[in-house]
Amino acid sequence: MADICVIGGTRYFGRKLVRRLLDDGHRVTLVNRGRTPDPFGSEVDRRVADATDPDALAAAAGASRFDAVIHQMCYTPRDAVAVCEAFGDRAGKLVLTSTLEVYNKDTFRWEIPAPAFSPFASEGELDPAAYRFDLDLPWHDPAFLGANYGEGKRQTEAAVVERAESPVAVARVAHVLDAREDFTGRVQFHVDSIREGREIHAHPSPGRTSIVSTTEAAAALAWLATSEATGVVNVAAPDPIDVYGVCAAFEHALGRKAIITERPEPSGERLSPYSCPADFGMNVDTAAELGFEFTPTADWLPDLAREAAKEA
């Protein structure tokens, strides 16, 4: 049994992460703003703090020691420095939730050259320890942060690796799908479009991308928190998929054909979020080598599509 602190943990795969940890017998402390209800009742300890406020986060951490701290709400290098200072060496491991978007060559800013990423990038192609971060950029501005999400996550990784006083694991998570808690609206977009006979736009000869279910993303984070694994680990199903493959699952569930139209300049409103101009995803060999095997898309996407069709 481990003592684990989860920063966030009230929605999407964060909620499934907490449920997984509790079911595995671990003690869980939640740190968040206390604005979103959670279903865990007396099963968890709760501490209220805005993770972007260093003083509040430090007060919430107090003198407590945890076997692992999992930060699900870390978007800027300032947030990264705050969590490192708040917990110091009282975290046995610091686990950061990051994103596939760090490999997006189109999101590099300020004349930072993008590496020549492979179509399905491996972790070593972007080393957080070799990346620089800038605490003076206007990360407090929501518009700036929204326009620089990928860059914010790259700098967040770099800051955590440099400032943490404990071992670090960075989970770079692929596009996450869930049938019920469709936080992104991506699943609902496909269900509604197919059911209502609306066009789904795609890039010409669309590439494949990496996806993962909320259940598996949660399982991977729980494993990172409780295993000896450290460093950067890609979190995704082993078999990338294109927009046609995604739509096929929903077509079968709904009993209707998708109207997919390839366009040189696809409309943003109708563009499938799983259509890429070229292959863009992640290699997951590292996770397998460390002992975590992801479930192939074909083994879970059809069930998710059926559930989503019923929920809609």
Side-chain angles (χ1 to χ4, degrees), residues 11 21 25 27 44 49 52-53 62-63 74 76 86 97 120 129 141-142 145 150 200 216 225 280 288:
R11 63 181 184 178
L21 293 169
R27 290 182 290 266
V44 301
T52 66
D53 183 333
C74 202
T76 78
T97 302
F120 299 100
D141 179 355
L145 180 56
I200 296 173
E216 196 114 271
F280 171 59

Side-chain angles (χ1 to χ4, degrees), residues 105-154:
K105 61 181 178 60
D106 296 329
T107 65
F108 281 70
R109 301 288 188 259
W110 307 293
E111 299 181 358
I112 301 172
F117 292 125
S118 304
F120 299 100
S122 59
E123 294 86 348
E125 294 179 44
L126 183 67
D127 180 5
Y131 204 79
R132 64 182 175 90
F133 59 93
D134 187 345
L135 300 176
D136 294 327
L137 290 170
W139 297 114
H140 61 282
D141 179 355
F144 178 85
L145 180 56
N148 294 283
Y149 172 71
E151 181 61 26
K153 281 294 195 178
R154 284 187 289 270

Side-chain angles (χ1 to χ4, degrees), residues 11-280:
R11 63 181 184 178
Y12 212 37
F13 65 91
R15 185 179 295 193
K16 289 194 175 182
L17 165 64
V18 174
R19 182 74 267 158
R20 174 75 178 237
L21 293 169
L22 291 171
D23 289 347
D24 287 346
H26 302 299
R27 290 182 290 266
V28 177
T29 296
L30 289 182
V31 175
N32 52 52
R33 293 175 298 179
R35 298 178 184 175
T36 304
D38 67 70
F40 307 118
S42 60
E43 292 181 276
V44 301
D45 179 29
R46 292 177 181 81
R47 303 183 189 184
V48 177
D50 184 337
T52 66
D53 183 333
D55 292 336
L57 189 59
S64 299
R65 292 185 174 274
F66 296 96
D67 296 294
V69 174
I70 307 172
H71 202 334
Q72 291 238 260
M73 307 299 295
C74 202
Y75 301 107
T76 78
R78 289 183 181 179
D79 299 343
V81 171
V83 73
C84 292
E85 293 180 348
F87 290 91
D89 64 356
R90 297 183 310 304
K93 180 191 285 188
L94 183 56
V95 180
L96 172 70
T97 302
S98 190
T99 173
L100 163 67
E101 284 300 309
V102 299
Y103 297 118
N104 188 342
K105 61 181 178 60
D106 296 329
T107 65
F108 281 70
R109 301 288 188 259
W110 307 293
E111 299 181 358
I112 301 172
F117 292 125
S118 304
F120 299 100
S122 59
E123 294 86 348
E125 294 179 44
L126 183 67
D127 180 5
Y131 204 79
R132 64 182 175 90
F133 59 93
D134 187 345
L135 300 176
D136 294 327
L137 290 170
W139 297 114
H140 61 282
D141 179 355
F144 178 85
L145 180 56
N148 294 283
Y149 172 71
E151 181 61 26
K153 281 294 195 178
R154 284 187 289 270
Q155 293 199 25
T156 296
E157 291 184 9
V160 164
V161 168
E162 179 176 305
R163 298 291 183 89
E165 296 181 43
S166 57
V168 172
V170 175
R172 290 177 178 160
V173 182
H175 304 292
V176 185
L177 282 74
D178 190 272
R180 295 185 177 182
E181 295 184 46
D182 184 22
F183 176 69
T184 63
R186 293 169 178 168
V187 168
Q188 193 65 45
F189 167 83
H190 291 85
V191 171
D192 291 346
S193 296
I194 295 171
R195 178 172 280 159
E196 296 168 15
R198 287 185 279 150
E199 275 191 335
I200 296 173
H201 290 182
H203 296 89
S205 301
R208 296 165 296 164
T209 192
S210 293
I211 64 174
V212 69
S213 69
T214 51
T215 300
E216 196 114 271
L221 285 168
W223 162 71
L224 280 173
T226 56
S227 71
E228 297 298 316
T230 58
V232 181
V233 179
N234 290 338
V235 173
D239 46 341
I241 194 169
D242 65 14
V243 61
Y244 289 99
V246 171
C247 286
F250 290 98
E251 287 174 334
H252 190 267
L254 292 163
R256 296 196 62 175
K257 290 292 292 182
I259 304 171
I260 304 172
T261 305
E262 296 184 14
R263 294 182 175 230
E265 296 182 5
S267 163
E269 181 180 343
R270 301 306 315 155
L271 177 63
S272 168
Y274 306 116
S275 175
C276 300
D279 286 345
F280 171 59

